[in-house]
Amino acid sequence: MSFHEYTTVGRSGLRVSPLSLGTMTFGGTTGWGTDEPTSRAIFDRYVELGGNFIDTADGYTDGKSEELVGKFVADRSLRNRLVLATKFTFNAQSGNPNAGGNGRKNVYRALEGSLRRLKTDYVDLYWMHVWDGVTPVEELLSTMNDLVRSGKIRYFGLSDSPAWYVARAQTLAEKEGKERLIALQLEYSLAERNIEREHVPAARELGLGICPWSPLASGFLAGKYRREGATGKGEGRLEVLKSSANPVFNKFTDRNWRVLDVLLDVAKQLDKSPAQVALNWVATQPCVCSPIIGATKTAQLESNVESLSFSIPSDLRKRLDDAGKPELIHPYMFFEGVIHDRITGDVPIRAWTPEPRHRESSAAAPAAKHAAKS
Ligand SMILES: NC(=O)c1ccc[n+]([C@@H]2O[C@H](COP(=O)([O-])OP(=O)(O)OC[C@H]3O[C@@H](n4cnc5c(N)ncnc54)[C@H](OP(=O)(O)O)[C@@H]3O)[C@@H](O)[C@H]2O)c1
């Protein structure tokens, strides 16, 4: 794998770089964003290095992120070469319930604003940013279908949504001959692996590519913070947002420090930076198509792009896999271990996949054991 190999987004014909550039920080003035010249330098470097996949949202930095992306793209006449992704959901006018959420009225309002700020007449990948808890899936699907067919968007996907909502949307789209969604955008990293329970299996079944956000857990996995009592200390976003009430930035937990210890050791053995190993791990997880990376300096971006130029040997990968494995809770405990053995009859069963079977399958040994018993 390398940064120069393109990948399709789920079961679609859209070709993107295997690392997308996140622009949530562009134009930020709150101590963890980047001003216009730095944002432009990061954008330019990403494009020079061969990247084609840009992620923004109408709500990032009050629309400034979209404005800057629109300007940088227009200044270099890059619209056709780039895949522009943006999002709707967040409310733009306090007190007005239809200026936010995923109802048709807000989606049209939001899209008109995004197209204006991005200086374009279509969005390549339009994301529902967050499930709003009320909009029926049929309405969302019909809105997205109309937007694809009118040419205002090329594809759509769901971010931060329950897996049941995703599954219902895709199944209805298939049954009703509507445009299908192609991707999910969710927080996923060595430090945040909860999507492995429901969303990854759903993505596999429904042909969806996963675009992980915060693949470095907001910079935590770069290894630049150190424990300090019940919290942490270092230079970067998590220091600035230490007292934030937003749970996304609550990364200084005992569990995460334990994951980081393993990551630091693995990175040392591989002679790579912790950020490179963390990005390589997430980029090579099942169903992942393009992790969305962020940077506040061009040097971070350049180093992060190198994360795809090596492989993690299986013994070290297992250490990383084991370090932050999600807790086995109900009902997932029924799907593996002793209860699962009671379903299979103690015989290994492998679900069919299009990939060829490994030639040295160990399936024969337990089957022989079973035969000997009878
Ligand atoms: N759908 C959603 O709900 C959602 C939510 C969040 C984000 N997103 C998308 O995902 C994108 C990426 O998210 P993120 O910024 O949280 O990703 P991230 O990769 O977890 O964190 C990026 C931050 O880590 C630090 N960093 C990156 N590389 C580094 C390196 N090599 N060494 C040291 N520090 C490094 C930088 O911050 P500092 O220099 O300040 O430490 C950088 O801004 C966003 O821009 C946005 O497009 C989507």
Side-chain angles (χ1 to χ4, degrees):
M1 189 177 48
S2 97
F3 183 60
H4 302 289
E5 257 171 51
Y6 292 90
T7 173
T8 56
V9 181
R11 206 181 293 146
S12 82
L14 183 63
R15 286 98 156 144
V16 296
S17 300
L19 293 172
S20 163
L21 179 65
T23 64
M24 175 176 78
T25 41
F26 280 20
T29 52
T30 48
W32 55 284
T34 48
D35 61 15
E36 182 169 338
T38 307
S39 304
R40 187 188 284 273
I42 290 168
F43 173 90
D44 284 348
R45 193 70 188 116
Y46 173 80
V47 173
E48 277 162 26
L49 289 167
N52 80 338
F53 191 17
I54 310 288
D55 186 75
T56 182
D58 60 347
Y60 291 165
T61 55
D62 292 327
K64 192 83 186 148
S65 169
E66 284 187 333
E67 272 172 23
L68 290 179
V69 169
K71 194 171 177 180
F72 303 158
V73 173
D75 286 354
R76 296 183 56 183
S77 304
L78 288 167
R79 183 63 192 93
N80 282 338
R81 193 169 120 37
L82 296 181
V83 173
L84 287 188
T86 191
K87 320 183 186 79
F88 60 89
T89 297
F90 282 104
N91 198 296
Q93 188 183 27
S94 183
N96 177 0
N98 282 308
N102 303 324
R104 190 178 283 110
K105 184 169 169 70
N106 183 54
V107 174
Y108 274 81
R109 181 206 62 77
L111 182 58
E112 290 310 322
S114 289
L115 294 176
R116 194 177 58 250
R117 287 186 290 275
L118 287 167
K119 301 186 197 334
T120 182
D121 54 7
Y122 72 97
V123 168
D124 292 294
L125 175 52
Y126 203 32
W127 293 103
M128 182 187 92
H129 205 150
V130 183
W131 180 53
D132 66 6
V134 293
T135 303
V137 79
E138 295 84 349
E139 178 174 333
L140 178 82
L141 211 51
S142 120
T143 308
M144 293 298 117
N145 194 65
D146 290 350
L147 290 176
V148 171
R149 295 192 181 174
S150 68
K152 291 207 170 202
I153 67 173
R154 299 292 187 256
Y155 299 92
F156 70 99
L158 303 187
S159 156
D160 305 341
S161 305
W164 69 260
Y165 193 82
V166 172
R168 193 158 155 72
Q170 192 73 315
T171 307
L172 272 176
E174 287 167 353
K175 285 274 172 211
E176 294 185 356
K178 292 207 165 85
E179 297 300 332
R180 302 165 73 257
L181 50 141
I182 63 167
L184 301 178
Q185 187 175 141
L186 298 153
E187 183 171 9
Y188 193 31
S189 71
L190 279 166
E192 174 48 76
R193 291 176 50 187
N194 285 311
I195 69 163
E196 289 176 16
R197 294 194 182 100
E198 292 279 350
H199 294 80
V200 174
R204 180 183 280 129
E205 180 73 16
L206 302 168
L208 302 168
I210 295 179
C211 298
W213 58 261
S214 287
L216 292 180
S218 282
F220 179 80
L221 297 170
K224 59 188 182 175
Y225 298 97
R226 62 180 186 280
R227 257 177 266 216
E228 201 182 66
T231 179
K233 196 170 174 50
E235 255 180 51
R237 180 191 304 175
L238 293 175
E239 179 68 38
V240 178
L241 296 172
K242 216 145 81 174
S243 48
S244 165
N246 187 336
V248 164
F249 303 119
N250 179 21
K251 300 299 185 206
F252 298 140
T253 63
D254 285 345
R255 187 184 165 283
N256 284 353
W257 290 119
R258 283 197 298 275
V259 171
L260 185 63
D261 285 343
V262 175
L263 172 63
L264 293 176
D265 190 49
V266 168
K268 199 168 161 197
Q269 291 196 47
L270 290 172
D271 198 19
K272 300 289 174 193
S273 76
Q276 287 171 336
V277 175
L279 290 174
N280 184 299
W281 180 87
V282 79
T284 51
Q285 282 293 100
C287 297
V288 166
C289 73
S290 184
I292 311 172
I293 56 172
T296 56
K297 300 175 180 71
T298 47
Q300 290 175 350
L301 175 78
E302 286 164 352
S303 170
N304 293 350
V305 160
E306 287 301 312
S307 63
L308 302 186
S309 59
F310 62 97
S311 306
I312 303 175
S314 55
D315 55 329
L316 295 181
R317 186 166 191 108
K318 181 163 182 342
R319 288 190 60 204
L320 295 170
D321 287 346
D322 291 346
K325 207 173 161 67
E327 195 189 342
L328 198 54
I329 54 172
H330 179 80
Y332 310 98
M333 58 177 64
F334 282 76
F335 312 147
E336 53 185 280
V338 288
I339 302 178
H340 189 62
D341 291 347
R342 287 177 54 201
I343 298 168
T344 62
D346 210 11
V347 173
I349 301 171
R350 176 185 180 275
W352 178 86
T353 62
E355 288 81 36
R357 227 175 251 274
H358 194 283
R359 279 163 205 271
E360 288 167 48
S361 167
S362 58
K369 181 186 93 183
H370 183 73
K373 260 197 270 177
S374 53

